[in-house]
Amino acid sequence: MRRRILQSILAVVILTALLLGVPLIYTAWLWVEDFNRSDLQVRLDRMATEIITQEGVNGVVEGDLDTNSLRLLTPAGGRLVVVYPTTDDGAARVDIGESSVQSPLVESLAMGTSGSLRLEVPSDEMRTQQRQAVGAVALLVLVSIAAGTVVAYVTAKRLADPLRDVANRAARLAEGDFRPDVRRHGIPELDRVSDVLDSATVEIAGRLQREHALVADVSHQLRSRLTAVRLRLDELSVHSDPAVVVEADEAMAQVDRLTVAIDELVRSSRSNGTETQVSVIRELSVVIADWKRPFEDADRELVLRGDTNVMASTTGSRLREAVAVLVDNALMHGAGTCTVAVRLIQGQNLRTPGEETSPRETMVCVEVSDEGVGVSNDLAPHIFDRGFSGAGSTGVGLALARALIEADGGRLELQRRRPALFAIFVPLAREHVPTRVTGIREPR
């Protein structure tokens, strides 16, 4: 920012100095020449007056011309040529000064019937004066540019430093630093931004505090209810009917997994979504185990495919919840076999702007597909909009799934409409990035 402001001001200063300096240099050059010519013209006027005073009543010079005063008015190194009328109806010529002048500056004066004057002086002194005048003007231009540079640097610093401070403060706010900053910079617009950031800091801190309190209350209530459910299931686990005991044990395992999921979500909310390295297949195996029975009841199959060694940099609970939403969506609106596939791809740059990353970063892709009719063309553009549903549901599930994935720097997209194929892209764990990924195709 500072460099751009400095370059802009300097460009204006230099352009202005050139637009004014070049004509001023030319004007100074001509002014020196006009000054010297005016001096010669004044000398010629005084010489003409001396000659006219020596003329008689008949308008001619009688006898020899008195040149003493003319010699005094002739500059050193110069040459004066005087032509004047005589009594014998002729004209006389008198040369005063040097016999010849190199590179002369010439001025002449016609006196009508009284003759004419021609004055030549060396132009070296005038050229020296012209160069001095041009140098003085050029020095003035350089001083103006230097002064403009100082002003540009001070102005750029005065504007760039406050902007940097405000940007850093906004970055700290995004990182969860809600400490107020009392510094102001004397620039009304930036001070207004600082005031707004102060207000936003107070509001966001208050909201986060209320949300954390709400999460704590909700998690407490859920744990209490789950504990009560587990106690009831524990009573059923000693039932005389073996089938009831099996169902009770499976239900208690489901309650335990739900309790663990609630604890992980609470920890994630308190730690601002800190990412961890998780085994994708291991996390998704829990989802498959939870949804396998509903698919079997619907006479359908739920399949998990992928490499068990794939590690992703994400939050396990968020990944499980997002995939669970997609599997539930496939169960409710799809048909046939639902496949959850884990693979590696390249070419997905999912980092935020300004964050250093490779343009061909290896990513983990989790695809959830089925064999149903898919998503209609009218529904596809709005399928992730919160509250929008084409099948009478709440319209929250897919929006929530996308929010969970994006919270960890990933992305959830509808890759294919018919049959439906949803793809989740999350960063691969750093130490598990392969040197080469083969047999990988770009997402459709």
Side-chain angles (χ1 to χ4, degrees), residues 284-404:
L284 297 186
S285 297
V286 178
V287 179
I288 299 301
D290 292 342
W291 288 92
K292 199 168 188 65
R293 176 63 65 84
F295 271 84
E296 291 177 352
D297 294 342
D299 197 20
R300 294 174 58 187
E301 187 177 2
L302 178 61
V303 179
L304 175 62
R305 297 173 182 171
D307 186 356
T308 57
N309 296 322
V310 175
M311 302 289 292
S313 178
T314 186
T315 305
S317 59
R318 291 176 176 172
L319 180 61
R320 292 197 307 270
E321 291 299 321
V323 174
V325 169
L326 298 179
V327 171
D328 179 38
N329 193 64
L331 177 62
M332 297 295 295
H333 309 294
T337 301
C338 176
T339 303
V340 180
V342 179
R343 61 189 181 90
L344 299 180
I345 65 169
Q346 285 184 342
Q348 294 293 323
N349 186 355
L350 303 179
R351 294 295 181 186
T352 56
E355 191 174 340
E356 295 183 0
T357 182
S358 170
R360 298 289 295 177
E361 182 180 3
T362 304
M363 307 297 296
V364 177
C365 177
V366 179
E367 293 180 336
V368 179
S369 61
D370 61 70
E371 300 172 350
V373 296
V375 182
S376 66
N377 294 332
D378 295 334
L379 181 61
H382 310 284
I383 196 168
F384 292 105
D385 295 346
R386 183 175 294 271
F388 182 86
S389 174
S393 60
T394 60
V396 176
L398 290 177
L400 175 61
R402 169 173 277 188
L404 290 173

Side-chain angles (χ1 to χ4, degrees), residues 34-272:
D34 291 342
F35 178 79
N36 283 270
R37 290 187 179 276
S38 297
D39 178 68
L40 295 181
Q41 196 66 41
V42 170
R43 291 175 182 269
L44 290 175
D45 290 338
R46 294 178 61 182
M47 292 177 184
T49 302
E50 291 292 335
I51 294 174
I52 292 175
T53 57
Q54 296 183 35
E55 293 179 353
V57 294
N58 55 356
V60 298
V61 178
E62 298 178 357
D64 295 332
L65 181 66
D66 184 6
T67 61
N68 291 329
S69 58
L70 300 181
R71 292 181 184 278
L72 293 175
L73 292 173
T74 302
R79 177 170 178 261
L80 176 64
V81 178
V82 181
V83 178
Y84 61 94
T86 59
T87 54
D88 56 357
D89 294 334
R93 171 174 172 167
V94 177
D95 292 345
I96 301 173
E98 303 292 334
S99 59
S100 63
V101 178
Q102 297 293 331
S103 301
L105 178 64
V106 181
E107 280 293 321
S108 58
L109 177 65
M111 299 182 293
T113 59
S114 299
S116 63
L117 299 173
R118 177 183 174 88
L119 181 59
E120 301 177 0
V121 295
S123 60
D124 294 341
E125 183 178 357
M126 182 190 71
R127 299 304 180 196
T128 301
Q129 293 175 353
Q130 286 179 323
R131 287 191 289 269
Q132 291 174 348
V134 169
V137 175
L139 180 61
L140 181 62
V141 171
L142 292 178
V143 171
S144 300
I145 294 177
T149 301
V150 174
V151 173
Y153 178 80
V154 174
T155 302
K157 181 177 178 62
R158 176 174 171 78
L159 292 177
D161 289 349
L163 287 174
R164 186 181 295 107
D165 290 342
V166 173
N168 292 336
R169 185 179 176 192
R172 292 195 303 270
L173 180 61
E175 294 172 356
D177 185 356
F178 301 115
R179 292 175 297 175
D181 192 343
V182 297
R183 287 181 302 173
R184 294 297 183 268
H185 306 90
I187 301 176
E189 291 79 6
L190 292 181
D191 290 345
R192 173 59 179 163
V193 174
S194 298
D195 293 338
V196 172
L197 286 178
D198 279 343
S199 301
T201 297
V202 175
E203 179 65 22
I204 294 174
R207 288 188 179 183
L208 287 178
Q209 185 176 3
R210 292 191 297 270
E211 289 178 0
H212 288 166
L214 177 61
V215 169
D217 293 341
V218 171
S219 63
H220 175 73
Q221 294 295 326
L222 287 175
R223 289 192 190 97
S224 300
R225 300 298 184 270
L226 289 174
T227 301
V229 172
R230 200 181 193 288
L231 290 175
R232 298 294 298 273
L233 293 174
D234 188 56
E235 294 178 0
L236 292 176
S237 64
V238 295
H239 196 274
S240 58
D241 188 350
V244 174
V245 173
V246 172
E247 292 294 334
D249 290 339
E250 291 184 359
M252 282 193 292
Q254 182 72 14
V255 170
D256 292 338
R257 287 195 293 269
L258 182 56
T259 303
V260 172
I262 292 174
D263 292 337
E264 290 183 356
L265 289 174
V266 172
R267 284 195 300 269
S268 298
S269 66
R270 291 176 178 174
S271 60
N272 294 325

